[in-house]
Amino acid sequence: MNPRRLPSRIVCLTTETVEVLYALGEEARIAGISGYTVIPPRARKEKPKVFAFSSGDLEKILAVEPDLVLGFSDMQADVARDLIKAGVAVHVFNQRSVDGILAMIETVGRLVGAEDRACALVAELEATMARVRAQAALLPRRPRVYFEEWDEPPISAVRWVSELVGIAGGEDVFAERALHPGAAQRILADPLEAARRAPDIIVGSWCGKRFRPERVAGRAGWEGVPAVRDGELHELKSALILSPGPVAIREGLPALAAIIARWAAQRDRQTTAARQ
């Protein structure tokens, strides 16, 4: 591999590829980032913000003279098309699963000549998942979990989140919806559909705004939901779980596991007390 042929001015249109390049020690190659980049925090101070997520000024991207632009999903199809027309190399990822996240990391590593470091990062994340999965196997019962990605309208978990819920020891009550790549198919047209599935735990991660458990608990017809009755409504910051990058496994997964483990411990105490 000739280092001179590797990209040296990369624009990342989403936060997860920024996170990966920093994790690989290749942050010097980043020439511009999305304004929604949050991980690592230092990137916001060190790198120019040249795009939002699905909108922005093409000229701001071109001004940093990228030799590669990394994007994500069909939501960035228009800017990808315009960049290609402008003669810029573009790679658009579309990872929607845990395996997809790991594959994205490996691909970014290959693109910048850091394949060994990328494989080491993937091995670290796989070890984290194996450790959490082993701990979850010891739980006496797997709770039913409703993960709410948005509230108006309610949107259930995207696929990688649903998979992480399973690894953490829970059962996503909308696992079948998680298989759909787009959010439109995960919108709950009937507000009571989630309530009828009787989740033991509700995790809110309203992208871009604070989760309000009292609003969920106050929804008409939700008073009998086990999670509402038992006060098992928890917030998980969207930056830790809704970005399909390493952070979802490094931080989002352990946070989910902690919520589920506390629920299991509480149920165990209640069962013990009832027997006495």
Side-chain angles (χ1 to χ4, degrees):
M1 182 180 296
N2 190 328
R4 292 180 300 175
R5 291 196 288 268
L6 296 175
S8 60
R9 297 192 59 77
I10 301 174
V11 166
C12 301
L13 299 183
T14 54
T15 185
E16 62 273 2
T17 48
V18 176
E19 179 189 6
V20 171
L21 286 169
Y22 269 85
L24 299 180
E26 296 290 339
E27 65 271 20
R29 298 182 187 274
I30 301 175
I33 63 174
S34 162
Y36 287 102
T37 297
V38 292
I39 295 174
R42 57 182 275 216
R44 296 184 62 82
K45 300 176 182 179
E46 298 174 348
K47 304 297 180 179
K49 303 174 190 65
V50 298
F51 200 68
F53 177 75
S54 58
S55 63
D57 185 351
L58 182 71
E59 295 306 315
K60 287 188 71 173
I61 299 175
L62 296 177
V64 301
E65 301 181 337
D67 51 15
L68 177 63
V69 173
L70 301 178
F72 173 71
S73 84
D74 60 314
M75 295 183 69
Q76 295 185 335
D78 289 347
V79 67
R81 176 201 61 210
D82 294 342
L83 286 164
I84 292 168
K85 286 183 176 181
V88 180
V90 178
H91 188 112
V92 178
F93 291 98
N94 205 16
Q95 70 273 19
R96 305 285 181 163
S97 64
V98 170
D99 275 346
I101 292 172
L102 301 180
M104 177 271 294
I105 294 169
E106 292 172 347
T107 299
V108 171
R110 286 191 288 270
L111 287 171
V112 299
E115 187 170 1
D116 288 347
R117 278 169 279 156
C119 288
L121 174 55
V122 167
E124 173 207 321
L125 298 174
E126 288 178 326
T128 296
M129 290 189 289
R131 183 170 59 252
V132 172
R133 190 180 282 111
Q135 293 168 345
L138 301 176
L139 296 176
R141 178 184 160 201
R142 296 175 66 89
R144 295 171 56 77
V145 179
Y146 169 48
F147 185 99
E148 189 169 273
E149 189 176 310
W150 191 249
D151 62 326
E152 296 178 339
I155 300 177
S156 62
V158 70
R159 181 173 175 178
W160 70 83
V161 174
S162 178
E163 291 175 348
L164 292 176
V165 166
I167 293 170
E171 294 182 358
D172 176 16
V173 297
F174 287 111
E176 79 285 356
R177 286 180 178 264
L179 299 176
H180 294 288
Q185 293 86 6
R186 292 182 282 110
I187 293 174
L188 307 182
D190 181 356
L192 286 174
E193 186 175 356
R196 286 193 292 270
R197 300 203 179 193
D200 299 298
I201 296 172
I202 295 172
V203 179
S205 188
W206 296 348
C207 189
K209 66 179 181 180
R210 185 166 63 90
F211 176 61
R212 300 291 296 274
E214 71 279 5
R215 290 187 181 177
V216 176
R219 291 173 181 171
W222 282 58
E223 59 277 356
V225 174
V228 172
R229 181 193 63 216
D230 298 334
E232 292 287 352
L233 294 92
H234 306 272
E235 180 177 27
L236 187 50
K237 297 294 185 182
S238 58
L240 302 183
I241 193 71
L242 291 183
S243 170
V247 68
I249 300 171
R250 276 178 165 168
E251 299 187 46
L253 175 59
L256 282 171
I259 290 169
I260 291 171
R262 285 194 297 268
W263 174 89
Q266 177 65 17
R267 300 290 84 71
D268 189 51
R269 286 193 293 271
Q270 290 175 350
T271 299
T272 301
R275 289 172 178 170
Q276 292 176 346

